[in-house]
């Protein structure tokens, strides 16, 4: 293969190459003198940009670069032979100096292979039983927390008991299955069994997800206080109430200027137990850093919905961990903690030899009141287009689920106007613009949100924010030149540690007691909001609309989910599922003809060998 052909492929119209991908390929071509190595690097870098840890070159070689008329990828046998003999490709020598790694046709950039390998090593060290109290003591505590009758939520009880014994436990499930409720009881059980002096850390990938975890745990405390006896539970409930979730980057001591973290194998976290919520958003590199920052004797619990979008960066770690457990289930040791009166989950007890069996459990029972939005989420997750259309078309659901066909950009503008402007519209965002105080405005932020599949373009977040901003300015008679009108919602896009703001924080512009506008944010554990002077704000944007990716970790009473008028890149079943499950009470679903079906028919596919390698390299019953 000549350098000229490599350049032709790099310049192929319609190819998904970023400038960085082309730079990687040209650097490899210049320094190695091997165009086929450069082409493998191009493919691996482009795959990383799409969220994959690696790229399967044999499958890539079987199709054109970007359409029928484009150059073809090299024939795989010849490509494989060239890579196998190159000193720039690590095929089986384990040479860390080689920038590309090739394993069974899968090509990695070296850093992603190293992240995956070190993550597997870190997981292996955690797949061991932890010390626990006597079974009878545990049973008494489990009965107190979950109830002793056969009607108790047995899968939640089993999950808590299994996590108590485990150095690594993954709890997954869809909306309404009680993941956070289970973890609240797990934390109480852990403190009861290990002692009130145990150090617990709570974290999430984003500031909003961390805040929501704290709010959800706080909401679960009063019912438990009312039900549990003061002795011994009151002090333990107080200990949990004092916990403050934070972002993973803050917990690990991120140093963006050095692309490093303060916490690591040589400076481990002080936590005895770490709980990470919204773990589907944690990428391969950050998950590796998190596990390596924990002491070997500390516990780790990962919470998340494996059906949601994966991380923005490379990897789909939560989904891979779930896939590595061949069947849901908990070990016999955890099952022994059940009340003798409760025997409804015998199928959950397992002796499977899959590497993560006993460390992964999916909650299936939906405890939130059943409704059309939960039915819709189940249909989306199953890829059942007929059921999705049936639910959306049923007039009995019109006040909760409303679907509309989006023909073009002009139709989008008309639909937004009709939604925002009374008398025919619903007054979307009225509560926000008419809030009487910063506290009321922050509460209104949780009311309605527009979510988009795209960031830019006619159906992207930026365009939609501009349209909504203009409609609301006209509706409320606001100054068209004033960037700081009362009620403008804000999304922080670059954190500022000195102000206590992180990427993903929501705020709102409102007047203080002196009548001057400021940016107001949640109070970091305090019921009172905190004000930030407008000139001091870090990078931010208007947030009537946000991308589905940015919305992860949040919930809103009403969501207007806008998909493009035509099918295209970026649409997936997971994106549709994630967007739809942000709505608690009402969902408006706008999409072009055939777009819903296209999204449902496109499950997210991220190339990764993590699950396969866990099965091959760990195997056995992982210490069970």
């Amino acid at each position: 293969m000549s350098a000229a052909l490599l350049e032709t492929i790099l310049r192929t119209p319609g190819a998904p190459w970023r400038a960085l991908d082309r730079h990687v390929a040209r650097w490899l071509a210049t320094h190695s003198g091997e165009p086929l190595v450069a082409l493998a690097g191009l493919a691996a870098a482009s795959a990383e940009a799409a969220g994959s840890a690696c790229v399967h070159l044999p499958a890539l070689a079987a199709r054109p670069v970007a359409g029928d008329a484009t150059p073809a990828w090299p024939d795989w046998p010849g490509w494989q032979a060239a890579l196998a003999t190159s000193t720039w490709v690590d095929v089986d020598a384990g040479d860390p100096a080689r920038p590309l790694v090739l394993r069974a046709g899968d090509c990695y950039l070296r850093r992603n292979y190293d992240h995956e390998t070190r993550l597997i090593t870190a997981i292996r060290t955690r797949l061991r039983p932890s010390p626990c109290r006597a079974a009878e003591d545990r049973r008494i505590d489990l009965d107190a927390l979950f109830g002793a009758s056969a009607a108790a939520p047995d899968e939640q009880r089993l999950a808590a008991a299994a996590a108590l014994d485990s150095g690594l436990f993954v709890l997954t499930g869809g909306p309404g299955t009680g993941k956070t409720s289970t973890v609240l009881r797990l934390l109480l059980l852990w403190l009861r069994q290990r002692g009130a002096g145990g150090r617990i850390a709570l974290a999430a990938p984003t500031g909003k997800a961390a805040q929501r975890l704290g709010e959800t745990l706080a909401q679960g405390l009063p019912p438990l206080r009312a039900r549990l006896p003061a002795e011994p539970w009151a002090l333990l409930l107080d200990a949990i109430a004092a916990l403050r979730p934070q972002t993973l980057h803050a917990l690990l001591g991120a140093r963006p200027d050095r692309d490093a973290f303060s916490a690591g194998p040589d400076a481990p976290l002080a936590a005895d137990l770490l709980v990470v919520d919204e773990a589907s958003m944690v990428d391969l590199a950050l998950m590796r850093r998190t596990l390596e920052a924990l002491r070997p004797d500390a516990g780790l619990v990962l919470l998340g919905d494996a059906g949601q979008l994966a991380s923005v960066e490379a990897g789909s770690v939560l989904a891979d961990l779930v896939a590595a457990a061949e069947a849901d289930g908990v070990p016999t040791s955890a099952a022994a903690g059940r009340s003798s009166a409760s025997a409804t989950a015998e199928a959950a007890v397992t002796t499977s030899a899959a590497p993560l069996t006993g460390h992964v459990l999916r909650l299936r029972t939906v405890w939130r009141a059943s409704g059309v939005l939960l039915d819709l989420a189940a249909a989306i997750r199953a890829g059942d287009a007929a059921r999705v259309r049936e639910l959306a078309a049923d007039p009995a659901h019109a006040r909760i689920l409303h679907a509309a066909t989006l023909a073009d950009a002009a139709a989008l503008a008309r639909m937004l106007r009709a939604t925002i402007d009374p008398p025919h519209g619903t007054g979307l965002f009225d509560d926000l613009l008419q809030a009487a105080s910063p506290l009321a405005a922050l509460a209104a932020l949780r009311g309605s949100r527009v979510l988009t599949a795209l960031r830019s373009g006619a159906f992207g977040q930026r365009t939609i924010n501009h349209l909504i901003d203009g409609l609301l300015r006209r509706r409320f008679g606001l100054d068209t030149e004033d960037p700081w009108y009362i009620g403008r919602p804000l999304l922080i896009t670059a954190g500022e540690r000195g102000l206590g703001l992180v990427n993903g924080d929501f705020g709102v512009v409102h007047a203080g007691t002196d009548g001057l506008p400021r940016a107001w944010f949640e109070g970091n554990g305090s019921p009172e909001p905190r004000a930030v002077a407008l000139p001091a704000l870090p990078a931010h944007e208007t947030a009537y609309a946000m991308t589905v990716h940015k919305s992860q970790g949040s919930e809103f009473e009403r969501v207007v989910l806008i998909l493009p008028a035509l099918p295209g890149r970026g649409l997936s079943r997971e994106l549709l599922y994630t967007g739809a499950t942000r709505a608690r009470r009402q969902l408006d679903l706008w999409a072009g003809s055939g777009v819903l079906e296209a999204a449902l028919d496109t499950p997210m596919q991220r190339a990764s060998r993590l699950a396969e390698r866990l099965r091959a390299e760990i195997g056995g019953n992982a210490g069970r």
Side-chain angles (χ1 to χ4, degrees), residues 346-425:
E346 293 296 338
V349 182
T350 182
T351 57
S352 169
L356 292 186
T357 298
H359 296 269
V360 177
L361 192 140
R362 183 191 300 278
L363 298 176
R364 288 184 165 84
T365 304
V366 176
W367 298 99
R368 190 184 298 171
S370 180
V372 62
L373 294 185
L374 292 175
D375 293 342
L376 179 72
I380 293 173
R381 183 161 186 160
D384 188 343
R387 179 60 175 157
V388 170
R389 284 296 186 190
E390 177 189 354
L391 291 168
D394 190 337
H397 304 147
R399 296 185 62 183
I400 300 173
L401 174 62
H402 175 256
T405 301
L406 191 58
D408 52 29
L412 171 61
R414 290 193 300 271
M415 291 163 69
L416 284 172
R417 185 180 304 112
T419 304
I420 288 172
D421 285 345
H424 303 296

Side-chain angles (χ1 to χ4, degrees), residues 442-459:
L442 287 169
L445 278 179
R446 306 186 191 101
S448 299
R449 195 62 53 99
V450 174
L451 302 183
T452 69
L454 308 173
R455 179 163 177 79
S456 57
F459 300 94

Side-chain angles (χ1 to χ4, degrees), residues 173-481:
T177 54
K179 295 185 294 294
T180 312
S181 172
T182 303
V183 166
L184 175 55
R185 287 160 175 78
L186 163 63
L187 295 177
L188 285 168
L189 180 65
W190 188 88
L191 287 171
R192 172 73 173 137
Q193 296 281 306
R194 303 296 180 86
R199 294 165 295 185
I200 296 173
L202 306 177
T206 67
K208 175 51 64 177
Q211 178 184 327
R212 182 164 167 251
L213 172 61
E215 291 172 348
T216 307
L217 289 173
Q219 290 166 5
L221 290 173
L224 287 173
R225 285 189 189 277
R227 183 170 65 81
L228 294 171
E231 177 59 37
W233 300 105
L235 288 177
L236 306 183
L237 288 162
D238 290 343
I240 292 174
L243 296 173
R244 294 291 177 263
Q246 56 188 315
T247 66
L248 271 174
H249 283 83
L251 177 71
L252 298 175
R255 296 176 173 177
D257 56 329
R258 301 183 184 179
D259 190 25
F261 295 86
S262 299
D266 297 328
L269 296 170
D272 301 307
L273 175 68
L274 171 61
V275 176
V276 179
D277 197 13
E278 298 290 351
S280 65
M281 301 167 64
V282 183
D283 60 69
L284 182 63
L286 185 56
M287 189 67 81
R288 186 267 289 182
R289 301 260 193 187
T290 300
L291 267 74
E292 288 187 339
L294 285 172
R295 300 192 323 272
D297 61 333
L300 174 63
V301 176
L302 301 176
L303 303 177
D305 186 343
Q308 285 190 164
L309 283 168
S311 57
V312 175
E313 304 298 332
S316 51
V317 180
L318 182 69
D320 290 338
L321 293 177
V322 173
E326 293 177 357
D328 291 339
V330 295
T332 306
S333 60
R338 285 184 309 189
S339 166
S340 58
S342 179
T344 60
E346 293 296 338
V349 182
T350 182
T351 57
S352 169
L356 292 186
T357 298
H359 296 269
V360 177
L361 192 140
R362 183 191 300 278
L363 298 176
R364 288 184 165 84
T365 304
V366 176
W367 298 99
R368 190 184 298 171
S370 180
V372 62
L373 294 185
L374 292 175
D375 293 342
L376 179 72
I380 293 173
R381 183 161 186 160
D384 188 343
R387 179 60 175 157
V388 170
R389 284 296 186 190
E390 177 189 354
L391 291 168
D394 190 337
H397 304 147
R399 296 185 62 183
I400 300 173
L401 174 62
H402 175 256
T405 301
L406 191 58
D408 52 29
L412 171 61
R414 290 193 300 271
M415 291 163 69
L416 284 172
R417 185 180 304 112
T419 304
I420 288 172
D421 285 345
H424 303 296
T426 56
L428 190 70
F429 300 117
D430 276 15
D431 289 349
L432 182 59
L433 273 292
Q434 295 176 331
S437 68
L439 188 62
L442 287 169
L445 278 179
R446 306 186 191 101
S448 299
R449 195 62 53 99
V450 174
L451 302 183
T452 69
L454 308 173
R455 179 163 177 79
S456 57
F459 300 94
Q461 168 212 339
R462 292 171 178 166
T463 298
I464 292 170
N465 266 318
H466 179 72
L467 288 170
I468 294 173
D469 180 83
L471 288 167
L472 289 171
R473 285 177 187 268
R474 286 193 293 273
R475 169 162 160 64
F476 289 97
L478 302 173
D479 184 348
T480 58
E481 302 299 323

